[in-house]
Amino acid sequence: AQSVTQLDSHVSVSEGTPVLLRCNYSSSYSPSLFWYVQHPNKGLQLLLKYTSAATLVKGINGFEAEFKKSETSFHLTKPSAHMSDAAEYFCVVTIPNSNSGYALNFGKGTSLLVTP
Amino acid sequence: DAGVTQSPTHLIKTRGQHVTLRCSPISGHKSVSWYQQVLGQGPQFIFQYYEKEERGRGNFPDRFSARQFPNYSSELNVNALLLGDSALYLCASSSPGPSSEKLFFGSGTQLSVL
């Protein structure tokens, strides 16, 4: 079964320092992986998507993630944190449904706190 | 262009009641999915509909049902509400086909069951 595990429930960084949010995946085949962000009282927004075209995926707002098959990881990084990056981040893998549809399987989330 | 819109934004119900949540997808999107997000957890898949047909169902009891209309809007119905149904219910739409994996989410309906 396709699943993801987010290794940290909370991460705290200082503004201007690098961000690393860790995610490991489990999949019986080459997965489609995503990172979504959820700001307070707002809907989920897609940050980036991996679909095997390239192992390093660039997303919005300066975020990127690297797919490492040997480590079954898909960690999210950003070189320099901004106060506006404070939010909940979800690592996601797709699960195909039996009727040609699919579902997103979300991790439990990592809460990113950015301090001045 | 308008994004995914959900109504109502907040709702308070009591145990045993029924609730209907509504979702309008982005114009041109034919697939609608529903997710339940309990406080402190990641969203859980409930349903996917494409062209008015159910394409997938998550591990939720039969008290949960949904449908999609000819204009691609959707309703999520929950019968016999339980306290544990209190959650943020998210609707997402995608295009062009049922297997399109890029979902656009609405802001959700916050349901409180007392």
Coordinates of all heavy atoms in Angstrom, one line a residue, chain A residues 10-104:
Chain A
H10 N 6.7 18.8 14.5 CA 6.9 20.2 14.6 C 8.4 20.5 14.2 O 9.3 19.7 14.6 CB 6.7 20.7 16.0 CG 5.2 20.6 16.5 ND1 4.7 19.4 17.0 CD2 4.2 21.5 16.5 CE1 3.4 19.6 17.3 NE2 3.1 20.8 17.0
V11 N 8.5 21.6 13.5 CA 9.9 22.1 13.1 C 9.9 23.6 13.4 O 9.0 24.3 13.0 CB 10.3 21.8 11.7 CG1 11.5 22.5 11.3 CG2 10.4 20.3 11.4
S12 N 10.9 24.0 14.1 CA 11.1 25.5 14.4 C 12.4 25.9 13.8 O 13.4 25.3 14.0 CB 11.0 25.7 15.9 OG 11.2 27.1 16.1
V13 N 12.4 27.0 13.0 CA 13.6 27.6 12.4 C 13.5 29.1 12.6 O 12.5 29.7 12.8 CB 13.7 27.3 10.9 CG1 13.8 25.8 10.7 CG2 12.6 27.9 10.1
S14 N 14.7 29.7 12.5 CA 14.8 31.2 12.6 C 14.6 31.7 11.2 O 15.0 31.1 10.2 CB 16.1 31.6 13.2 OG 16.2 31.2 14.5
E15 N 14.0 32.9 11.1 CA 13.9 33.5 9.8 C 15.3 33.7 9.1 O 16.3 34.1 9.8 CB 13.3 34.9 9.9 CG 12.9 35.6 8.6 CD 12.2 36.9 8.9 OE1 12.3 37.5 10.0 OE2 11.5 37.4 7.9
G16 N 15.3 33.3 7.8 CA 16.6 33.4 7.1 C 17.4 32.2 7.1 O 18.4 32.1 6.4
T17 N 17.1 31.2 7.9 CA 17.8 29.9 8.0 C 17.1 28.9 7.1 O 15.9 29.0 6.8 CB 17.9 29.4 9.4 OG1 16.6 29.1 9.9 CG2 18.6 30.5 10.3
P18 N 17.9 27.8 6.8 CA 17.3 26.8 5.9 C 16.1 26.0 6.6 O 16.1 25.8 7.8 CB 18.4 25.8 5.6 CG 19.7 26.6 5.9 CD 19.3 27.6 7.0
V19 N 15.2 25.5 5.7 CA 14.1 24.7 6.2 C 14.3 23.3 5.6 O 14.7 23.1 4.4 CB 12.8 25.2 5.7 CG1 11.6 24.3 6.1 CG2 12.5 26.6 6.2
L20 N 14.1 22.3 6.5 CA 14.1 20.9 6.0 C 12.9 20.2 6.7 O 12.8 20.1 7.9 CB 15.4 20.1 6.5 CG 15.4 18.6 6.3 CD1 15.3 18.2 4.8 CD2 16.7 18.0 6.9
L21 N 12.0 19.7 5.9 CA 10.8 18.9 6.4 C 11.0 17.5 5.8 O 11.0 17.4 4.5 CB 9.5 19.6 6.0 CG 9.3 21.0 6.4 CD1 8.0 21.5 6.0 CD2 9.6 21.2 7.9
R22 N 11.0 16.5 6.6 CA 11.3 15.2 6.2 C 10.1 14.3 5.9 O 9.1 14.3 6.7 CB 12.2 14.5 7.2 CG 13.5 15.3 7.4 CD 14.4 14.5 8.4 NE 13.8 14.4 9.7 CZ 14.3 13.6 10.7 NH1 15.3 12.8 10.4 NH2 13.7 13.6 11.8
C23 N 10.2 13.5 4.9 CA 9.1 12.6 4.5 C 9.7 11.3 3.9 O 10.5 11.4 3.0 CB 8.2 13.3 3.5 SG 6.9 12.2 2.8
N24 N 9.3 10.2 4.4 CA 9.6 8.9 3.8 C 8.3 8.3 3.2 O 7.2 8.5 3.8 CB 10.2 7.9 4.8 CG 11.6 8.3 5.2 OD1 12.2 9.2 4.6 ND2 12.1 7.7 6.3
Y25 N 8.5 7.6 2.1 CA 7.3 7.0 1.5 C 7.4 5.5 1.4 O 8.5 4.9 1.5 CB 7.1 7.6 0.1 CG 8.1 7.1 -0.9 CD1 7.9 6.0 -1.7 CD2 9.3 7.9 -1.1 CE1 8.9 5.6 -2.6 CE2 10.3 7.4 -2.0 CZ 10.1 6.3 -2.7 OH 11.0 5.9 -3.6
S26 N 6.3 4.9 1.2 CA 6.2 3.4 1.0 C 5.3 3.2 -0.2 O 4.2 3.6 -0.2 CB 5.7 2.7 2.2 OG 5.5 1.3 2.0
S27 N 5.9 2.5 -1.2 CA 5.1 2.3 -2.4 C 5.6 1.1 -3.1 O 6.8 0.8 -3.2 CB 5.2 3.5 -3.3 OG 4.4 3.3 -4.5
S28 N 4.6 0.3 -3.7 CA 5.0 -0.9 -4.4 C 5.4 -0.6 -5.9 O 5.9 -1.5 -6.6 CB 3.8 -1.9 -4.4 OG 2.7 -1.3 -4.9
Y29 N 5.3 0.6 -6.3 CA 5.7 1.0 -7.6 C 6.1 2.5 -7.6 O 6.1 3.1 -6.5 CB 4.5 0.8 -8.6 CG 3.2 1.4 -8.2 CD1 3.0 2.8 -8.5 CD2 2.2 0.7 -7.6 CE1 1.8 3.4 -8.1 CE2 1.0 1.3 -7.2 CZ 0.8 2.6 -7.5 OH -0.4 3.2 -7.1
S30 N 6.5 3.0 -8.7 CA 7.0 4.4 -8.7 C 5.8 5.3 -8.4 O 4.8 5.4 -9.1 CB 7.5 4.7 -10.1 OG 8.0 6.1 -10.2
P31 N 6.0 6.0 -7.3 CA 4.8 6.8 -6.8 C 4.7 8.2 -7.4 O 5.7 8.7 -7.9 CB 5.1 6.9 -5.3 CG 6.6 7.0 -5.2 CD 7.1 6.1 -6.4
S32 N 3.6 8.8 -7.3 CA 3.4 10.2 -7.5 C 3.4 10.9 -6.1 O 2.5 10.5 -5.3 CB 2.1 10.5 -8.2 OG 2.2 10.1 -9.6
L33 N 4.3 11.8 -5.8 CA 4.4 12.4 -4.5 C 4.2 13.9 -4.6 O 4.6 14.5 -5.6 CB 5.8 12.1 -4.0 CG 6.1 10.6 -3.6 CD1 7.6 10.4 -3.5 CD2 5.4 10.2 -2.3
F34 N 3.7 14.4 -3.6 CA 3.4 15.8 -3.5 C 3.7 16.4 -2.1 O 3.8 15.7 -1.2 CB 1.8 16.1 -3.7 CG 1.2 15.5 -4.9 CD1 0.9 14.1 -4.9 CD2 0.9 16.2 -6.0 CE1 0.3 13.5 -6.0 CE2 0.3 15.6 -7.1 CZ 0.0 14.3 -7.1
W35 N 3.9 17.7 -2.1 CA 3.9 18.5 -0.9 C 2.8 19.5 -1.0 O 2.7 20.3 -2.0 CB 5.2 19.2 -0.6 CG 6.2 18.3 0.0 CD1 7.2 17.6 -0.6 CD2 6.3 18.0 1.4 NE1 7.9 16.9 0.3 CE2 7.4 17.1 1.6 CE3 5.7 18.4 2.6 CZ2 7.9 16.6 2.8 CZ3 6.1 17.9 3.8 CH2 7.2 17.1 3.9
Y36 N 1.9 19.6 0.0 CA 0.9 20.6 0.1 C 1.1 21.4 1.4 O 1.7 21.0 2.4 CB -0.5 20.0 0.3 CG -1.1 19.6 -1.1 CD1 -0.8 18.3 -1.6 CD2 -2.1 20.4 -1.7 CE1 -1.5 18.0 -2.8 CE2 -2.7 20.0 -2.9 CZ -2.4 18.8 -3.4 OH -3.0 18.4 -4.6
V37 N 0.7 22.7 1.3 CA 0.8 23.6 2.5 C -0.6 24.1 2.9 O -1.4 24.3 2.0 CB 1.8 24.8 2.2 CG1 1.3 25.6 1.0 CG2 1.9 25.6 3.4
Q38 N -0.8 24.2 4.2 CA -2.1 24.7 4.7 C -1.8 25.8 5.7 O -1.3 25.6 6.8 CB -2.9 23.6 5.3 CG -4.3 23.9 5.7 CD -5.1 22.7 6.2 OE1 -4.5 21.8 6.9 NE2 -6.3 22.7 5.9
H39 N -2.2 27.0 5.3 CA -2.1 28.1 6.2 C -3.3 28.2 7.0 O -4.4 27.7 6.6 CB -1.9 29.4 5.4 CG -0.5 29.5 4.7 ND1 0.6 30.0 5.4 CD2 -0.1 29.2 3.5 CE1 1.6 30.0 4.6 NE2 1.2 29.5 3.4
P40 N -3.2 28.8 8.2 CA -4.4 28.8 9.1 C -5.6 29.4 8.4 O -5.5 30.4 7.8 CB -3.9 29.7 10.3 CG -2.4 29.5 10.3 CD -2.0 29.4 8.8
N41 N -6.7 28.7 8.6 CA -8.0 29.1 8.1 C -8.0 29.3 6.5 O -8.8 30.1 6.0 CB -8.4 30.5 8.7 CG -8.6 30.3 10.2 OD1 -9.1 29.3 10.7 ND2 -8.0 31.3 10.9
K42 N -7.1 28.5 5.9 CA -7.1 28.6 4.4 C -7.1 27.1 3.9 O -6.8 26.2 4.6 CB -5.9 29.3 3.9 CG -6.0 30.8 4.2 CD -4.9 31.6 3.4 CE -5.0 33.1 3.6 NZ -3.9 33.8 2.9
G43 N -7.4 27.0 2.6 CA -7.4 25.7 2.0 C -6.0 25.2 1.7 O -5.0 25.9 1.9
L44 N -5.9 24.0 1.3 CA -4.6 23.4 0.9 C -4.1 23.9 -0.4 O -4.9 24.0 -1.3 CB -4.8 21.8 0.9 CG -5.0 21.1 2.2 CD1 -5.7 19.8 2.0 CD2 -3.6 20.9 2.9
Q45 N -2.8 24.1 -0.5 CA -2.2 24.6 -1.7 C -1.1 23.7 -2.1 O -0.3 23.4 -1.3 CB -1.7 26.1 -1.5 CG -1.1 26.7 -2.7 CD -0.5 28.1 -2.5 OE1 -0.2 28.5 -1.4 NE2 -0.4 28.8 -3.6
L46 N -1.1 23.3 -3.4 CA 0.0 22.5 -3.9 C 1.3 23.2 -4.0 O 1.4 24.3 -4.6 CB -0.4 21.9 -5.3 CG 0.6 21.1 -6.0 CD1 0.8 19.8 -5.2 CD2 0.2 20.8 -7.4
L47 N 2.3 22.7 -3.3 CA 3.7 23.3 -3.4 C 4.5 22.8 -4.6 O 5.1 23.5 -5.3 CB 4.5 23.0 -2.1 CG 4.3 23.9 -0.9 CD1 5.1 23.4 0.3 CD2 4.6 25.3 -1.2
L48 N 4.4 21.4 -4.7 CA 5.2 20.8 -5.8 C 4.7 19.4 -5.9 O 4.1 18.8 -5.1 CB 6.7 20.9 -5.5 CG 7.2 20.4 -4.2 CD1 7.4 18.9 -4.1 CD2 8.6 21.1 -3.9
K49 N 5.1 18.8 -7.1 CA 4.7 17.4 -7.5 C 5.8 16.7 -8.1 O 6.5 17.2 -9.0 CB 3.5 17.5 -8.4 CG 3.1 16.2 -9.0 CD 1.9 16.4 -10.0 CE 1.5 15.1 -10.7 NZ 0.5 15.3 -11.7
Y50 N 6.0 15.4 -7.7 CA 7.0 14.6 -8.3 C 6.3 13.5 -9.2 O 5.4 12.8 -8.6 CB 7.9 13.9 -7.3 CG 8.7 12.7 -7.9 CD1 9.8 13.0 -8.7 CD2 8.3 11.4 -7.7 CE1 10.6 11.9 -9.2 CE2 9.0 10.4 -8.2 CZ 10.1 10.6 -9.0 OH 10.8 9.6 -9.6
T51 N 6.8 13.3 -10.4 CA 6.2 12.3 -11.3 C 7.2 11.6 -12.1 O 6.9 11.1 -13.2 CB 5.1 12.9 -12.2 OG1 5.7 14.0 -13.0 CG2 3.9 13.4 -11.4
S52 N 8.4 11.5 -11.6 CA 9.5 10.7 -12.2 C 10.2 11.4 -13.3 O 11.2 10.8 -13.9 CB 9.0 9.3 -12.6 OG 8.3 9.4 -13.8
A53 N 9.8 12.5 -13.7 CA 10.5 13.2 -14.8 C 11.9 13.7 -14.4 O 12.9 13.7 -15.1 CB 9.7 14.4 -15.3
A54 N 12.0 14.1 -13.1 CA 13.3 14.6 -12.6 C 13.2 14.4 -11.1 O 12.2 14.6 -10.4 CB 13.5 16.1 -12.9
T55 N 14.4 14.0 -10.5 CA 14.4 13.7 -9.1 C 14.4 15.0 -8.2 O 13.9 14.9 -7.1 CB 15.7 12.9 -8.7 OG1 16.8 13.6 -9.1 CG2 15.6 11.6 -9.4
L56 N 14.9 16.1 -8.7 CA 14.8 17.4 -8.0 C 13.6 18.2 -8.6 O 13.6 18.5 -9.7 CB 16.1 18.1 -8.1 CG 16.2 19.4 -7.3 CD1 16.1 19.1 -5.8 CD2 17.5 20.1 -7.6
V57 N 12.7 18.4 -7.7 CA 11.5 19.1 -8.1 C 11.4 20.5 -7.5 O 11.6 20.7 -6.3 CB 10.2 18.3 -7.7 CG1 9.0 19.0 -8.2 CG2 10.3 16.9 -8.2
K58 N 11.2 21.5 -8.3 CA 11.1 22.9 -7.8 C 9.6 23.3 -7.7 O 8.8 23.0 -8.6 CB 11.9 23.8 -8.7 CG 13.4 23.6 -8.7 CD 14.1 24.7 -9.5 CE 15.6 24.4 -9.5 NZ 16.2 24.4 -8.1
G59 N 9.3 23.9 -6.6 CA 7.9 24.3 -6.4 C 7.8 25.8 -6.3 O 8.7 26.6 -6.6
I60 N 6.7 26.2 -5.7 CA 6.4 27.6 -5.5 C 7.1 28.1 -4.3 O 7.5 27.4 -3.4 CB 4.9 27.9 -5.5 CG1 4.3 27.2 -4.3 CG2 4.2 27.5 -6.8 CD1 2.8 27.6 -4.0
N61 N 7.2 29.5 -4.2 CA 7.8 30.2 -3.0 C 9.1 29.7 -2.6 O 9.5 29.7 -1.4 CB 6.8 30.0 -1.8 CG 5.4 30.6 -2.2 OD1 5.3 31.5 -3.0 ND2 4.4 30.0 -1.5
G62 N 9.9 29.2 -3.6 CA 11.3 28.8 -3.3 C 11.5 27.5 -2.7 O 12.7 27.1 -2.4
F63 N 10.5 26.7 -2.6 CA 10.6 25.3 -2.0 C 11.0 24.4 -3.1 O 10.7 24.5 -4.3 CB 9.3 24.9 -1.4 CG 8.9 25.5 -0.1 CD1 8.2 26.6 0.0 CD2 9.4 24.9 1.0 CE1 7.9 27.2 1.2 CE2 9.1 25.4 2.3 CZ 8.4 26.6 2.4
E64 N 11.7 23.3 -2.7 CA 12.0 22.2 -3.6 C 12.1 20.9 -2.8 O 12.2 20.9 -1.6 CB 13.3 22.5 -4.4 CG 14.6 22.6 -3.6 CD 15.8 22.9 -4.4 OE1 15.7 23.6 -5.4 OE2 16.9 22.4 -4.1
A65 N 12.0 19.8 -3.6 CA 12.1 18.5 -2.9 C 12.9 17.6 -3.8 O 12.9 17.7 -5.0 CB 10.7 18.0 -2.7
E66 N 13.6 16.7 -3.2 CA 14.4 15.7 -3.9 C 13.9 14.3 -3.7 O 13.8 13.9 -2.5 CB 15.9 15.8 -3.5 CG 16.8 14.9 -4.4 CD 18.2 15.1 -4.1 OE1 18.6 15.8 -3.2 OE2 19.0 14.5 -4.9
F67 N 13.6 13.6 -4.7 CA 13.2 12.2 -4.6 C 14.4 11.3 -4.6 O 15.2 11.3 -5.5 CB 12.3 11.9 -5.9 CG 11.9 10.4 -5.9 CD1 10.8 10.0 -5.1 CD2 12.5 9.5 -6.8 CE1 10.4 8.6 -5.2 CE2 12.1 8.2 -6.9 CZ 11.1 7.8 -6.1
K68 N 14.5 10.5 -3.6 CA 15.6 9.6 -3.4 C 15.1 8.2 -3.3 O 14.6 7.8 -2.2 CB 16.5 9.9 -2.2 CG 17.3 11.2 -2.4 CD 18.3 11.5 -1.3 CE 19.1 12.7 -1.5 NZ 20.1 13.0 -0.4
K69 N 15.1 7.4 -4.4 CA 14.5 6.1 -4.3 C 15.3 5.2 -3.4 O 14.7 4.3 -2.7 CB 14.6 5.5 -5.8 CG 13.8 4.2 -5.9 CD 13.8 3.7 -7.3 CE 13.1 2.4 -7.4 NZ 13.0 1.9 -8.8
S70 N 16.6 5.3 -3.3 CA 17.4 4.4 -2.5 C 17.1 4.6 -1.0 O 17.2 3.7 -0.2 CB 18.9 4.6 -2.7 OG 19.2 6.0 -2.4
E71 N 16.6 5.8 -0.6 CA 16.3 6.1 0.7 C 14.8 6.2 1.0 O 14.4 6.4 2.1 CB 16.9 7.5 1.1 CG 18.5 7.5 1.0 CD 19.1 8.8 1.4 OE1 18.3 9.7 1.8 OE2 20.3 9.0 1.1
T72 N 14.0 6.0 -0.1 CA 12.6 6.1 -0.1 C 12.2 7.4 0.6 O 11.3 7.5 1.5 CB 11.8 4.9 0.6 OG1 12.2 4.8 2.0 CG2 12.1 3.7 -0.2
S73 N 12.8 8.5 0.2 CA 12.5 9.8 0.9 C 12.1 10.8 -0.1 O 12.5 10.7 -1.3 CB 13.8 10.3 1.6 OG 14.8 10.6 0.8
F74 N 11.5 11.9 0.3 CA 11.0 13.0 -0.5 C 11.0 14.2 0.4 O 9.9 14.7 0.7 CB 9.7 12.7 -1.1 CG 9.2 13.7 -2.1 CD1 10.0 13.9 -3.3 CD2 8.0 14.3 -2.0 CE1 9.5 14.8 -4.2 CE2 7.5 15.2 -3.0 CZ 8.3 15.5 -4.1
H75 N 12.1 14.6 0.8 CA 12.2 15.8 1.8 C 12.0 17.1 1.1 O 12.5 17.3 0.0 CB 13.6 15.7 2.5 CG 13.9 14.5 3.2 ND1 12.9 13.6 3.7 CD2 15.1 13.9 3.6 CE1 13.5 12.6 4.3 NE2 14.8 12.7 4.3
L76 N 11.4 18.0 1.8 CA 11.1 19.4 1.4 C 12.1 20.3 2.0 O 12.4 20.3 3.2 CB 9.7 19.8 1.8 CG 9.2 21.1 1.3 CD1 9.0 21.1 -0.2 CD2 7.9 21.5 2.0
T77 N 12.7 21.2 1.1 CA 13.7 22.1 1.6 C 13.4 23.5 1.0 O 12.7 23.7 0.0 CB 15.1 21.7 1.2 OG1 15.2 21.7 -0.2 CG2 15.5 20.4 1.8
K78 N 14.0 24.5 1.8 CA 14.0 25.9 1.3 C 15.3 26.5 1.9 O 15.5 26.4 3.1 CB 12.8 26.6 1.8 CG 12.7 28.0 1.2 CD 11.3 28.7 1.6 CE 11.3 30.1 1.0 NZ 10.0 30.8 1.3
P79 N 16.0 27.3 1.1 CA 17.3 27.8 1.5 C 17.2 28.8 2.7 O 18.0 28.8 3.6 CB 17.9 28.4 0.3 CG 17.2 27.8 -0.9 CD 15.8 27.5 -0.4
S80 N 16.1 29.6 2.6 CA 16.0 30.7 3.6 C 14.5 30.9 4.0 O 13.7 31.2 3.1 CB 16.5 32.0 3.0 OG 16.4 33.1 3.9
A81 N 14.2 30.6 5.2 CA 12.8 30.7 5.7 C 12.3 32.1 5.8 O 13.1 33.1 6.2 CB 12.7 30.0 7.0
H82 N 11.1 32.3 5.5 CA 10.4 33.6 5.7 C 9.3 33.5 6.6 O 8.7 32.4 6.8 CB 9.9 34.1 4.3 CG 9.4 35.5 4.3 ND1 8.2 35.9 4.6 CD2 10.1 36.6 3.9 CE1 8.1 37.2 4.5 NE2 9.2 37.7 4.1
M83 N 9.0 34.5 7.3 CA 7.9 34.5 8.3 C 6.6 33.9 7.7 O 5.9 33.2 8.4 CB 7.6 35.8 8.9 CG 8.8 36.4 9.7 SD 9.2 35.4 11.2 CE 7.8 35.7 12.2
S84 N 6.3 34.2 6.5 CA 5.1 33.8 5.8 C 5.1 32.3 5.5 O 4.1 31.8 5.1 CB 4.9 34.6 4.5 OG 5.9 34.3 3.6
D85 N 6.2 31.6 5.7 CA 6.3 30.2 5.5 C 5.7 29.4 6.7 O 5.5 28.2 6.6 CB 7.7 29.7 5.3 CG 8.3 30.2 4.0 OD1 7.6 30.4 3.1 OD2 9.6 30.5 4.0
A86 N 5.4 30.0 7.8 CA 4.8 29.4 8.9 C 3.4 28.8 8.6 O 2.5 29.5 8.2 CB 4.7 30.3 10.1
A87 N 3.3 27.5 8.7 CA 2.1 26.8 8.2 C 2.2 25.3 8.5 O 3.2 24.9 9.1 CB 1.9 27.0 6.7
E88 N 1.2 24.6 8.1 CA 1.2 23.1 8.2 C 1.6 22.6 6.8 O 1.0 23.0 5.8 CB -0.1 22.6 8.7 CG -0.2 21.1 9.0 CD 0.3 20.9 10.5 OE1 0.5 21.8 11.2 OE2 0.6 19.7 10.8
Y89 N 2.5 21.6 6.8 CA 3.0 21.0 5.5 C 2.6 19.6 5.5 O 2.9 18.8 6.5 CB 4.5 21.3 5.4 CG 4.8 22.7 5.1 CD1 4.9 23.6 6.2 CD2 5.0 23.2 3.8 CE1 5.2 25.0 6.0 CE2 5.3 24.5 3.6 CZ 5.4 25.4 4.7 OH 5.6 26.7 4.5
F90 N 2.1 19.1 4.4 CA 1.7 17.7 4.2 C 2.4 17.1 3.1 O 2.4 17.6 2.0 CB 0.2 17.6 4.0 CG -0.7 18.0 5.2 CD1 -1.2 19.3 5.2 CD2 -0.9 17.1 6.2 CE1 -2.0 19.7 6.3 CE2 -1.7 17.5 7.3 CZ -2.2 18.8 7.3
C91 N 3.0 15.9 3.3 CA 3.6 15.1 2.3 C 2.5 14.1 1.9 O 1.7 13.6 2.7 CB 4.8 14.3 2.9 SG 5.6 13.3 1.7
V92 N 2.3 13.9 0.6 CA 1.2 13.2 0.0 C 1.6 12.2 -1.0 O 2.5 12.5 -1.9 CB 0.1 14.2 -0.6 CG1 -1.1 13.4 -1.1 CG2 -0.3 15.2 0.5
V93 N 1.0 11.0 -1.1 CA 1.2 10.1 -2.1 C -0.2 9.7 -2.7 O -1.2 9.7 -2.0 CB 1.9 8.8 -1.6 CG1 1.1 8.0 -0.6 CG2 2.3 7.9 -2.8
T94 N -0.2 9.4 -4.0 CA -1.5 9.0 -4.6 C -1.7 7.5 -4.5 O -0.8 6.7 -4.6 CB -1.6 9.4 -6.1 OG1 -0.5 8.8 -6.8 CG2 -1.5 10.9 -6.3
I95 N -3.0 7.2 -4.4 CA -3.4 5.8 -4.3 C -4.5 5.6 -5.4 O -5.5 6.3 -5.4 CB -4.1 5.4 -3.0 CG1 -3.1 5.6 -1.8 CG2 -4.5 4.0 -3.0 CD1 -3.6 5.4 -0.5
P96 N -4.2 4.8 -6.4 CA -5.3 4.6 -7.4 C -6.5 3.8 -6.9 O -6.3 2.9 -6.1 CB -4.5 3.7 -8.5 CG -3.4 3.0 -7.8 CD -3.0 4.0 -6.6
N97 N -7.7 4.3 -7.3 CA -8.9 3.6 -7.0 C -9.2 2.5 -8.0 O -8.6 2.5 -9.1 CB -10.0 4.6 -6.9 CG -9.9 5.5 -5.7 OD1 -9.5 5.1 -4.6 ND2 -10.3 6.7 -5.9
S98 N -10.1 1.6 -7.7 CA -10.4 0.5 -8.6 C -11.1 1.0 -9.8 O -11.1 0.3 -10.8 CB -11.2 -0.5 -7.9 OG -12.4 0.0 -7.4
N99 N -11.8 2.1 -9.8 CA -12.6 2.6 -10.9 C -12.0 3.7 -11.6 O -12.7 4.7 -11.9 CB -14.0 2.9 -10.3 CG -15.1 3.1 -11.4 OD1 -14.9 2.6 -12.5 ND2 -16.2 3.7 -11.1
S100 N -10.7 3.6 -11.9 CA -10.0 4.6 -12.7 C -9.8 5.9 -12.0 O -9.4 6.9 -12.6 CB -10.7 4.8 -14.1 OG -10.7 3.6 -14.8
G101 N -10.2 6.0 -10.8 CA -10.0 7.2 -10.0 C -8.7 7.1 -9.1 O -7.9 6.2 -9.3
Y102 N -8.6 8.0 -8.2 CA -7.5 8.0 -7.3 C -7.8 8.7 -6.1 O -8.8 9.5 -6.0 CB -6.2 8.6 -8.0 CG -6.4 10.1 -8.2 CD1 -6.0 11.0 -7.3 CD2 -7.1 10.5 -9.3 CE1 -6.2 12.3 -7.5 CE2 -7.3 11.9 -9.5 CZ -6.9 12.8 -8.6 OH -7.1 14.1 -8.7
A103 N -7.0 8.5 -5.1 CA -7.1 9.3 -3.8 C -5.8 9.8 -3.4 O -4.7 9.2 -3.8 CB -7.7 8.4 -2.7
L104 N -5.7 10.8 -2.6 CA -4.5 11.3 -2.0 C -4.4 10.8 -0.6 O -5.4 10.9 0.2 CB -4.5 12.8 -2.0 CG -4.6 13.6 -3.3 CD1 -4.4 15.1 -3.1 CD2 -3.5 13.1 -4.3

